[in-house]
Amino acid sequence: MTRGMFENIANNAAYKGASKNWYVELIMSEMVWYDILVNPIDGFDVKDAITKKLREMKRIVEEQCDKRFVYYIAARKKVRFSRKRPYYSFFDKKLVLYLEIGRKRKIKKIRLPIRDIETGGLVKPGVKLTDRVITFEYPSGGTISMTVHDLLSQCNIDLGESTEIHYVGYTNSPWDRPLNRSHRGLSDTLYNVSTEEFDIFIFYNIFKVISLVKNSKYNINFAIANSLIDEVKVDEEGSIIEKALIFYFDTATQELNKKSERGSLKKNMVKMAGLNNISSIGFGLEVEDDSEYFDFCSRKVGAKHRHEFSINLDEGEPKILHGESVYKSKFGEMEGSA
């Protein structure tokens, strides 16, 4: 499937002449813990593995209509494994682990079942710990290692912490940007956020843009991905999503360029309205994973697993309507649309 393979729809009179709304939804979000890149774990070539994974993601995205990666640079309360010895509970056979939270290393006890991959039954493999990595050693000789954050995320352990976004950007080369240390947003985040209290993460996100049209004159409705008709080109699409999310999360790190970013969003939306009759952009941002690692917030936006809002032009200026979804008001009425 290639980008613009249904571009003839964009030139169809019933589509082209009608008023449109965009709806943006999150397809996937890939989390990278920055600490293990700059302070590698002995025996793990993490940076090479992450680079290969991001390059593969890019290849797949290019084959599936091509999109840009919009990323968050974010922070969560620092978590490490405690030196306190883990053990298996006598009563329920669950593994009991101790964590150290934040600068003060507050102790938190967690319990989790360890199950056999094939049978699903409870097992008690040997456990080895460093402050950042846990390794399970099975009687068969096999081992599984994962970082403290991977364990908490994959096992959906709730510590009552959300993920604060400090910077939003977009890239076509996720293995390089923002991972290279010359990145201004990453440098500013590391400067402004205490790494004694917080861990830094990068979330690489892929979004799908749906163009919604209800044309009563022709008695036809459309709900079609922008990537399929390529009405708005890929770089402009990525930039519009980036600027809209910068506007929404309104982080302190991007305060300096706030006026410029808002001006760019306004320019793009005025252009979309004039050339494409696209009058608003609705967002429904939610990761299917229930982990609290994907409960995002910012200095201006409360922590939520699902962020729903729309951006309209109000007297020529971008305006956010929190909790107002174009998707609900438009798409919900368009069953059976093309």
Side-chain angles (χ1 to χ4, degrees):
M1 187 177 291
T2 58
R3 189 175 182 93
M5 65 182 300
F6 296 122
E7 63 181 355
N8 59 305
I9 292 177
N11 296 316
N12 181 284
Y15 177 88
K16 189 173 183 179
S19 176
K20 311 176 187 76
N21 297 281
W22 264 16
Y23 181 69
V24 182
E25 58 185 6
L26 184 64
I27 298 175
M28 60 153 289
S29 185
E30 180 70 26
M31 180 179 73
V32 174
W33 182 16
Y34 184 68
D35 184 71
I36 62 174
L37 297 178
V38 295
N39 299 303
I41 298 169
D42 291 342
F44 295 87
D45 190 357
V46 177
K47 186 170 184 179
D48 184 60
I50 290 173
T51 296
K52 287 181 179 179
K53 184 171 186 177
L54 292 173
R55 286 185 180 274
E56 177 63 12
M57 287 170 59
K58 169 62 178 173
R59 184 190 66 78
I60 293 171
V61 167
E62 284 183 334
E63 291 178 354
Q64 299 178 0
C65 295
D66 197 14
K67 296 179 183 295
R68 295 294 179 258
F69 290 79
V70 178
Y71 57 86
Y72 306 147
I73 301 176
R76 288 183 57 82
K77 191 65 70 71
K78 186 174 183 176
V79 182
R80 297 293 184 271
F81 289 116
S82 171
R83 292 183 180 181
K84 294 188 68 172
R85 186 175 180 178
Y87 64 91
Y88 287 96
S89 169
F90 176 78
F91 296 102
D92 58 15
K93 299 182 181 180
K94 289 183 178 181
L95 176 63
V96 178
L97 289 168
Y98 295 92
L99 306 173
E100 296 178 354
I101 313 296
R103 181 191 292 108
K104 295 182 179 179
R105 299 184 177 183
K106 181 180 178 181
I107 297 296
K108 171 79 173 181
K109 183 169 74 172
I110 63 171
R111 304 163 64 90
L112 63 155
I114 308 299
R115 299 188 180 278
D116 184 87
I117 296 175
E118 294 183 359
T119 67
L122 289 173
V123 292
K124 297 192 291 184
V127 177
K128 286 187 176 181
L129 292 175
T130 68
D131 64 336
R132 294 183 294 172
V133 176
I134 186 169
T135 299
F136 297 103
E137 298 178 331
Y138 292 86
S140 62
T143 63
I144 295 176
S145 295
M146 62 179 67
T147 70
V148 60
H149 290 296
D150 285 336
L151 178 75
L152 296 175
S153 176
Q154 291 177 25
C155 295
N156 200 11
I157 303 298
D158 189 353
L159 299 181
E161 301 289 342
S162 57
T163 302
E164 182 175 358
I165 294 174
H166 290 272
Y167 187 93
V168 179
Y170 92 109
T171 181
N172 194 34
S173 305
W175 55 89
D176 179 61
R177 181 178 177 85
L179 295 179
N180 66 69
R181 299 190 193 186
S182 62
H183 187 277
R184 172 70 181 274
L186 182 57
S187 299
D188 287 352
T189 302
L190 291 170
Y191 179 79
N192 292 320
V193 177
S194 169
T195 52
E196 291 184 358
E197 181 74 7
F198 297 95
D199 284 325
I200 305 299
F201 297 86
I202 301 166
F203 292 82
Y204 292 95
N205 306 298
I206 299 294
F207 296 91
K208 179 179 181 180
V209 177
I210 304 171
S211 183
L212 308 174
V213 178
K214 187 175 182 180
N215 193 323
S216 55
K217 178 181 177 181
Y218 287 85
N219 195 27
I220 188 170
N221 301 323
F222 297 88
I224 188 165
N226 178 65
S227 59
L228 293 178
I229 58 178
D230 204 25
E231 182 180 18
V232 176
K233 302 303 179 183
V234 61
D235 277 316
E236 188 175 355
E237 176 188 277
S239 178
I240 290 167
I241 295 172
E242 176 209 31
K243 300 300 190 258
L245 291 174
I246 290 173
F247 186 38
Y248 174 68
F249 285 112
D250 192 12
T251 69
T253 304
Q254 293 178 289
E255 180 70 31
L256 186 63
N257 294 324
K258 183 176 179 178
K259 185 176 180 180
S260 173
E261 301 289 9
R262 183 185 178 101
S264 180
L265 176 61
K266 173 184 175 180
K267 181 180 178 181
N268 284 330
M269 292 191 70
V270 168
K271 180 182 176 181
M272 289 167 61
L275 292 180
N276 311 110
N277 290 330
I278 299 170
S279 59
S280 65
I281 308 173
F283 285 80
L285 309 181
E286 181 178 12
V287 179
E288 290 186 1
D289 192 323
D290 290 334
S291 166
E292 69 176 13
Y293 278 75
F294 300 99
D295 292 348
F296 295 113
C297 67
S298 70
R299 64 170 183 169
K300 295 292 183 69
V301 179
K304 301 174 188 175
H305 200 72
R306 178 177 176 83
H307 289 264
E308 193 170 70
F309 63 97
S310 61
I311 300 179
N312 305 321
L313 285 176
D314 184 6
E315 296 183 355
E317 293 295 331
K319 180 180 180 181
I320 294 177
L321 298 176
H322 292 270
E324 295 290 333
S325 174
V326 172
Y327 180 81
K328 284 184 178 179
S329 61
K330 296 290 184 181
F331 191 67
E333 302 171 4
M334 295 165 55
E335 298 294 336
S337 301

